[in-house]
């Protein structure tokens, strides 16, 4: 966190160029290009990199230059960088920090990266409850030389560091001299445990409208604060990961243009191949209906239309459910409620598409007479199949994220393409079964 | 924004029940159930509602009870509520506010809801440059009785309200008595214009790590501040909208369980019907190849496999590009670069799936002898088509968001199902054209 705004907002001149070439450079070239940046731009550029890129860059610099860059980082960011390097390199980089930061970073490294403890800054303004506001101001003046993340809120701790309350700095400043901190502190503080996952922390920020939240350990001892600006980044990152997973791939670790081509193809190719293998079942399923297709080729014409409608309705349902889960709007207990709701939606949406499909065949027949004498039966087959396929897609899309979560997998893996693949196979079976039933003795 | 944490975090007891029933209640029932809540819960519940729901609820309450709830809202939130009501009701609700808030809300109503001006709070700590820090503290003590959004940063304005600089409150507190504010203020302030859209504001927060950012008008006069907690909400909301659009529907305005069933079916049915009409082109395209299908029914078996692969690769590409655009990583000028990158990705991914498809036919033939004497040619047809369809899907998915943005439409409308529908039609044509070319004289 920057503790104050530090310049007019503008795009630094040299940065876009290096930022754009970054993905195409190897570590040596990166270090070389980075060292040629003017000092001001180099600071900005370094701070704009991901922790992984910062780690690789620092290691690619000559040992004598590493200290400067490691010390530019706030303790929480330094901890992120150290999480990215090999254990044997970690000690060397840790040794570059000053003693206070080294101790703080060491403590942060014990936390999972995506938990409140991994996000927090260990630097915050703290006072004892039994001092006066004047003493508190004097004490904070001395603390203010630290890079405090924010002293907007002052936390009141007992001798064992347990969180007793909070006082906004403005209240300390505006209270009459001699007022005891305990008498003006708020005791019902919103706080989080250090092992709470970062998405839950983000939801509390959004719900409560906070600028900073204290983090405590299992015994109620305060360890640090998470500030809202870090949460903005968390929320962006988590949304990006979910969006990429919903799109049917592994989440990229870096911005699109900074991801090397082969790394990206790998993240996409794996899922694409898996979906392809799943989709092969459509060929297997259709092989069972080869005779029906041979007798009534017209059936094949409507196959893409029907199975894609199932995929589209499934994509809608799974997207809605995955996002609502990520926002904490849906809990496991809501599964049955959601499935009932999606059953109703699916039947209604299926009825709409079924009606459109019926019209399509009837109008096609009356204009071009392409579907033969049994066109009404064909229209009924298309129509009934659509209701079945769309309902099936909606239900699969709604249920799959819950199922994945029950299996301790990421609900966002129930991507639109994954649901579409499942529903395609089901769609082939539904369509030809309906056809076999309705068209037996006429077209079949 | 709450200016301080106000309670231990816990789920309020009665809230989930009313929150869950909310979507199924009509306005009268909502008002009735709301009035039966205990006062504490009612406050929390009211503040947890969307601006649209708050507006409808206030209007459903007896006129005598409305004032209390309107006055519970901060000026920026009150402005959001007033944006949701009819112009004739707006005046009545505005009149319920106290005079200061009424003036502030009136000014906020002039801004677009999704611009910096629409997000900002007009209440912030301001001082003149030529006073001492002691005078500043005295002045802030008097201002502190206002509900200041945050006085973590104190803004230094000239007599025409132009932003000259910023001083963190802790620096005012810790500076020696007699220090002139001008001598310790930072003059290179990160600020935004009131007409900047909220997504750009969010990106500046994430990039700069700020807790608050000043908002100025075209003449550089400071109008308010946007705080990071509001940005957390903006980022969540924008991501939710994009995710829902990528899933192939209109964005919902409310949480999933709070959206009435028919409203949801409407938002999904429109897109689903549009996609269905587009997908009808597959039936039209296939009608041109009816003879080929009749002669080689085996061709139809692989159709879903081939066209869905195009849809899946297109879904990946469009998702990546839409998200990178939303994060500001891709500008219109990057279009050609992205298209070249996706052409390379598409060819590689197509080659992978093409190889898998070739194997599938060859192995299927050697195990079950189902594909006849020309199975190798069939394998080649499947394989070449896959390269074409996957490359086509990747290119369409990459180009469509840029195209929509050039047309001033929302890039996120290039949803996974939309791209899949386009590519399905292209896939039918590619597959049967490749088949007509490679299989002429053998299977066809």
């Amino acid at each position: 966190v920057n503790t104050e705004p530090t310049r007019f907002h503008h795009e630094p001149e040299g940065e876009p160029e290096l930022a754009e070439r970054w993905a195409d450079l190897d570590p040596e070239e990166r270090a070389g290009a980075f060292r040629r940046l003017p000092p001001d731009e180099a600071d900005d550029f370094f701070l704009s990199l991901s922790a992984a890129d910062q780690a690789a860059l620092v290691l690619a610099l000559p040992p004598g230059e590493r200290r400067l860059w490691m010390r530019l980082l706030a303790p929480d960011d330094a901890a992120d960088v150290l999480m990215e390097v090999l254990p044997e390199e970690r000690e060397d980089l840790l040794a570059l920090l000053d003693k206070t930061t080294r101790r703080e970073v060491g403590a942060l490294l014990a936390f999972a990266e995506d938990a409140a403890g991994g996000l927090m800054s260990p630097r915050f303004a703290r006072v004892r409850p039994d001092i006066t506001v004047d003493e508190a101001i004097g004490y904070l003046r001395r603390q203010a030389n630290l890079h405090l993340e924010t002293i907007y809120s002052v936390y009141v701790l007992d001798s064992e560091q347990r969180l007793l309350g909070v006082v906004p700095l403005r209240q300390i400043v505006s209270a009459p001299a001699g007022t005891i901190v305990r008498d003006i502190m708020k005791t019902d503080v919103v706080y989080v445990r250090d092992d709470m996952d970062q998405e839950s922390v983000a939801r509390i920020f959004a719900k409560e409208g906070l600028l900073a939240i204290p983090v405590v350990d299992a015994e109620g001892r305060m360890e640090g604060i998470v500030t809202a600006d870090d949460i903005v980044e968390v929320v962006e990152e988590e949304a990006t990961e979910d969006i990429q997973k919903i799109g049917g791939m592994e989440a990229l670790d870096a911005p699109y243009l900074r991801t090397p081509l082969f790394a990206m193809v790998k993240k996409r190719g794996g899922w694409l191949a898996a979906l392809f293998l799943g989709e092969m079942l459509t060929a297997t399923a259709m092989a069972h209906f080869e005779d029906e297709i041979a007798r009534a080729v017209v059936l094949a014409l409507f196959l893409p239309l029907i199975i894609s409608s199932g995929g589209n309705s499934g994509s809608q349902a799974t997207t809605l459910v995955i996002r609502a889960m990520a926002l904490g709007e849906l809990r496991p207990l809501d599964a049955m409620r959601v499935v009932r709701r999606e059953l109703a939606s699916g039947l209604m949406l299926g009825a709409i598409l079924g009606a459109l499909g019926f019209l399509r065949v009837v109008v096609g027949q009356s204009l071009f007479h392409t579907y033969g004498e049994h066109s009404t039966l064909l229209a009924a087959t298309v129509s009934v199949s659509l209701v079945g396929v769309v309902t099936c897609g909606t239900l699969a899309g709604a249920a799959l994220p819950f199922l994945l979560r029950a299996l301790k997998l990421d609900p966002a893996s129930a991507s639109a393409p994954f649901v579409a693949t499942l529903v395609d196979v089901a769609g082939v079976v539904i369509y030809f079964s309906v056809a076999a039933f309705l068209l037996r003795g006429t077209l079949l």
Side-chain angles (χ1 to χ4, degrees), chain A residues 18 21-22 25-38 42 45 49 56-62 65 69:
Chain A
L18 180 54
R21 289 184 291 127
W22 197 247
L25 302 179
D26 65 32
E28 290 302 313
E29 292 169 332
R30 289 180 178 187
F34 178 70
R35 294 172 75 194
R36 285 191 296 276
L37 286 178
F45 184 77
L49 292 175
L57 178 59
V58 167
L59 291 174
L61 291 172
E65 291 181 22
W69 300 107

Side-chain angles (χ1 to χ4, degrees), chain A residues 275-289 293 303 307 420-429 432:
Chain A
L275 293 169
F276 185 80
L277 295 178
E279 190 79 25
M280 277 183 185
L281 291 174
T282 57
T284 312
M286 284 182 73
H288 286 106
F289 300 104
I293 300 171
L303 183 69
I307 64 177
T421 298
L422 280 185
V423 178
D424 278 355
V425 181
V428 167
V429 175
F432 287 109

Side-chain angles (χ1 to χ4, degrees), chain A residues 21-305:
Chain A
R21 289 184 291 127
W22 197 247
D24 308 321
L25 302 179
D26 65 32
E28 290 302 313
E29 292 169 332
R30 289 180 178 187
F34 178 70
R35 294 172 75 194
R36 285 191 296 276
L37 286 178
D40 276 6
E41 284 179 31
D43 280 15
D44 275 351
F45 184 77
F46 184 73
L47 293 174
S48 80
L49 292 175
S50 68
D53 277 3
Q54 286 171 337
L57 178 59
V58 167
L59 291 174
L61 291 172
E65 291 181 22
R66 292 177 186 168
R67 180 184 306 266
L68 172 68
W69 300 107
M70 285 306 293
R71 294 202 172 191
L72 193 64
L73 297 168
D76 40 347
D77 298 328
D80 289 344
V81 166
L82 292 174
M83 291 296 288
E84 299 287 341
V85 304
L86 297 173
E88 56 267 31
E89 298 160 337
R90 195 168 296 156
E91 283 307 310
D92 293 346
L93 293 184
L94 201 51
L96 299 175
L97 302 171
D98 65 73
K99 201 174 144 202
T100 315
T101 312
R102 194 156 64 231
R103 193 172 38 73
E104 291 168 343
V105 169
L108 291 174
L109 285 175
F111 294 104
E113 213 180 339
D114 58 354
L119 272 179
M120 74 185 178
S121 161
R123 296 174 179 183
F124 57 92
R126 66 196 87 188
V127 296
R128 287 297 174 76
D130 299 315
I131 63 175
T132 65
V133 290
D134 320 72
E135 289 168 324
I137 290 176
Y139 182 64
L140 291 172
R141 278 189 169 169
R142 291 191 300 278
Q143 283 194 331
N145 291 326
L146 294 172
H147 293 285
L148 295 175
E149 288 271 318
T150 162
I151 58 165
Y152 164 70
S153 289
V154 178
Y155 299 93
V156 186
L157 309 184
D158 69 11
S159 59
E160 289 168 57
Q161 306 295 312
R162 278 190 299 255
L163 179 59
L164 300 176
V166 67
V167 195
L169 181 57
R170 76 163 147 79
Q171 213 175 336
I172 289 186
V173 170
S174 64
T179 307
I180 302 294
V181 167
R182 184 189 291 280
D183 295 335
I184 55 169
M185 74 184 185
K186 301 254 178 191
T187 53
D188 45 353
V189 188
V190 182
Y191 64 84
V192 296
R193 275 277 303 277
D194 53 19
D195 56 356
M196 180 183 268
D197 76 273
Q198 61 182 12
E199 286 186 87
S200 306
V201 178
R203 284 204 292 278
I204 293 174
F205 266 90
K207 192 170 172 229
E208 305 283 338
L210 300 172
L211 290 177
I213 200 165
V215 180
V216 303
D217 68 11
E219 278 77 43
R221 286 187 296 256
M222 182 159 168
E223 300 176 299
I225 55 173
V226 175
T227 50
D229 58 309
D230 294 323
I231 292 296
V232 172
E233 275 183 85
V234 165
V235 168
E236 293 268 23
E237 279 172 19
E238 298 272 353
T240 301
E241 274 183 29
D242 275 2
I243 286 175
Q244 289 172 348
K245 286 181 189 160
I246 289 170
M249 75 200 91
E250 273 181 68
L252 304 182
D253 306 318
Y256 174 81
L257 285 180
R258 289 201 190 169
T259 306
L261 187 60
F262 282 103
M264 196 174 67
V265 168
K266 209 173 137 198
K267 288 194 182 277
R268 291 159 68 168
W271 262 105
L272 220 47
L275 293 169
F276 185 80
L277 295 178
E279 190 79 25
M280 277 183 185
L281 291 174
T282 57
T284 312
M286 284 182 73
H288 286 106
F289 300 104
E290 208 171 340
D291 291 345
E292 281 81 357
I293 300 171
R295 263 175 278 161
V297 171
V298 72
L299 278 181
L301 304 191
F302 294 101
L303 183 69
L305 183 61

Side-chain angles (χ1 to χ4, degrees), chain A residues 292 295-296 298-299 371-381 434-444:
Chain A
E292 281 81 357
R295 263 175 278 161
V298 72
L299 278 181
Y371 304 129
E373 54 174 333
H374 301 297
S375 70
T376 313
L377 273 177
L378 179 66
T381 302
V434 170
F437 183 77
L438 288 184
L439 302 180
R440 187 166 309 280
T442 54
L443 277 170
L444 296 180

Side-chain angles (χ1 to χ4, degrees), chain A residues 289 299 302-311 313 346-347 349-355 357-358 361 376-394 423-439 444:
Chain A
F289 300 104
L299 278 181
F302 294 101
L303 183 69
L305 183 61
I306 286 167
I307 64 177
S308 75
S309 297
S313 63
L347 288 170
L349 294 168
I352 295 169
L353 297 197
F358 193 91
V361 178
T376 313
L377 273 177
L378 179 66
T381 302
V382 168
S383 184
V384 171
S385 302
L386 277 167
V387 176
V389 169
V390 168
T391 307
C392 172
T394 309
V423 178
D424 278 355
V425 181
V428 167
V429 175
I430 290 174
Y431 179 42
F432 287 109
S433 304
V434 170
F437 183 77
L438 288 184
L439 302 180
L444 296 180

Side-chain angles (χ1 to χ4, degrees), chain A residues 326-337:
Chain A
L327 292 174
E329 294 167 13
L330 293 178
R331 296 154 302 164
L333 281 174
D334 292 317
M336 277 318 296
R337 192 158 166 228

